[in-house]
Amino acid sequence: MQSELRTILAKAIKQRASDIYFLPKDDYFSVGFSLAGKYYFQSKLPLVVGQQCLNYLKFKADMSLSEQRRPQLGAWVYKWQGEVIFCRLSTVGDFLNRESLVIRLIYDGVKQQQGYFFSDQWELVRTACQKRGMIIFAGPMGSGKTSAMYYFARQLQDKQVLCIEDPIEIYEPDFLQLQVNDKALMGYADLLKVALRHHPDVFIIGEVRDEGTAQAVVRAALSGHLILTTVHAQSALGVVERLENLGLSRADLNQTVQLISYQRLIPTCDGSVKVLFDQVDNQTLLTAKPTQRMSTEWGQRLEKCYQNKWISLEIQKKYQAG
């Protein structure tokens, strides 16, 4: 069983899959990967072997082996060829009490740096991290936002970094990491208020998802902190609309946001995937049209990827709108 599981994990990591799926069928488990937001079937496992894999993974992630119906979450650190992979596990049983499992793979930021098309886009974020204010990462699930935030935070020498996430996705012993627990009245806004008393230099905020968190993040940025956070939006300039819907004014954004970095995993001609950024600085925010979503540079970068034969014409057209 463990050999089959090691083979599945190795194949997923080599392809830089964002998720591994173990889905129960009538007489087997279907194994699939998510690559650049698209599901790909990989193989079938006999029911007995598949269930053994699930039990082994649940044990490693400190999840209950006896519970197969109710949803469970767990975390596990997997080492592969010297690389550390952070795994978030989620299980749930269907109406027939058949359990499924999904593993979210979160890769180390140093390795991730090798997976970007343009080094100057990476350097732009690194330079922005030397200043104060908000750097907002956006993009679909699995596009590497959390890995990027942690990578850039690790480069800030002699800085106290405090993380607030739901849940903590990457264990970093050099950071102070707080986990959201709404039932214990420890939401993002609550933890931010307490965290400010620790006087950190840098905040990693897992997600700005409500008005209270948005206001708290702005206050932290105005008080001189560097904030690395994510916002769910379908484009770089869509982040602005999302934050305005959460009660922030354009004046708030102009004073606090220094960079919005939207990223997509783009399939390449050699079968791998790489990240392309659409990056919007404060000056672009001031001049952007209300209906504009992606910057003009996004299309230009895609064209350059195609001209360099990194991506196909089909992929260029598919991602033209972000």
Side-chain angles (χ1 to χ4, degrees):
M1 174 273 300
Q2 291 192 35
S3 62
E4 288 94 340
L5 187 55
R6 283 194 294 268
T7 299
I8 292 169
L9 287 165
K11 186 175 181 181
I13 294 168
K14 287 178 181 178
Q15 296 183 37
R16 271 337 198 219
S18 60
D19 300 272
I20 304 174
Y21 297 82
F22 292 84
L23 304 176
K25 303 299 180 182
D26 289 338
D27 56 355
Y28 66 92
F29 271 88
S30 172
V31 179
F33 298 163
S34 179
L35 294 164
K38 187 175 180 180
Y39 177 84
Y40 294 90
F41 169 79
Q42 297 296 317
S43 61
K44 295 180 180 180
L45 291 177
L47 280 177
V48 173
V49 176
Q51 192 59 57
Q52 289 174 342
C53 288
L54 263 64
N55 289 340
Y56 177 81
L57 290 166
K58 289 168 66 177
F59 171 77
K60 286 292 188 179
D62 197 25
M63 301 162 73
S64 172
L65 298 182
S66 61
E67 180 58 70
Q68 296 183 342
R69 181 71 184 272
R70 294 176 179 173
Q72 289 193 79
L73 298 175
W76 176 43
V77 177
Y78 182 66
K79 295 183 179 179
W80 179 80
Q81 295 187 356
E83 182 178 2
V84 175
I85 313 296
F86 299 90
C87 305
R88 279 173 43 197
L89 282 71
S90 174
T91 62
V92 68
D94 64 11
F95 75 105
L96 296 175
N97 288 330
R98 300 179 304 183
E99 191 174 26
S100 63
L101 181 146
V102 179
I103 308 173
R104 166 60 52 87
L105 302 175
I106 302 171
Y107 300 98
D108 180 76
V110 177
K111 296 290 184 180
Q112 283 288 87
Q113 186 182 7
Q114 302 170 4
Y116 289 81
F117 285 108
F118 301 101
S119 61
D120 63 311
Q121 292 189 318
W122 184 268
E123 184 65 22
L124 180 62
V125 183
R126 192 195 67 79
T127 301
C129 287
Q130 306 303 316
K131 306 173 185 178
R132 295 176 292 178
M134 276 198 285
I135 300 176
I136 301 174
F137 295 82
M141 292 179 62
S143 58
K145 302 184 294 296
T146 300
S147 296
M149 287 195 298
Y150 270 80
Y151 173 82
F152 289 114
R154 290 190 190 108
Q155 311 312 303
L156 302 172
Q157 302 297 323
D158 302 321
K159 299 289 186 182
Q160 182 183 351
V161 181
L162 191 149
C163 311
I164 303 174
E165 296 180 81
D166 181 20
I168 295 295
E169 295 189 347
I170 297 176
Y171 172 61
E172 177 50 69
D174 291 333
F175 298 168
L176 177 58
Q177 296 179 289
L178 308 180
Q179 186 160 294
V180 169
N181 185 338
D182 291 318
K183 292 182 180 179
L185 301 180
M186 295 168 58
Y188 274 114
D190 304 298
L191 290 175
L192 257 171
K193 184 177 180 179
V194 173
L196 283 168
R197 297 171 186 164
H198 285 257
H199 304 291
D201 302 296
V202 182
F203 279 104
I204 291 177
I205 308 298
E207 181 187 351
V208 177
R209 62 188 183 192
D210 55 50
E211 293 185 8
T213 305
Q215 294 293 340
V217 166
V218 164
R219 286 194 295 270
L222 289 173
S223 64
H225 296 84
L226 172 65
I227 312 291
L228 308 180
T229 189
T230 71
V231 172
H232 279 171
Q234 295 184 353
S235 64
L237 291 167
V239 170
V240 176
E241 182 179 356
R242 172 63 177 156
L243 291 175
E244 288 179 331
N245 289 337
L246 292 176
L248 298 184
S249 67
R250 186 57 69 98
D252 290 330
L253 300 180
N254 291 340
Q255 289 186 65
T256 58
V257 177
Q258 58 160 306
L259 183 68
I260 298 173
S261 194
Y262 175 83
Q263 59 190 74
R264 291 298 307 265
L265 285 173
I266 309 293
T268 67
C269 290
D270 65 6
S272 65
V273 292
K274 289 189 176 183
V275 171
L276 182 64
F277 284 122
D278 190 27
Q279 296 171 315
V280 176
D281 59 16
N282 189 273
Q283 187 61 38
T284 305
L285 289 178
L286 293 172
T287 58
K289 299 177 181 178
T291 57
Q292 190 176 352
R293 288 293 176 262
M294 307 299 289
S295 71
T296 54
E297 185 177 339
W298 173 261
Q300 294 169 358
R301 296 274 186 172
L302 275 176
E303 175 64 24
K304 188 172 182 179
C305 289
Y306 172 64
Q307 294 298 332
N308 288 341
K309 298 182 180 179
W310 297 337
I311 65 174
S312 66
L313 180 60
E314 178 186 4
I315 292 298
Q316 181 192 7
K317 292 180 178 178
K318 177 179 179 180
Y319 288 90
Q320 194 69 44

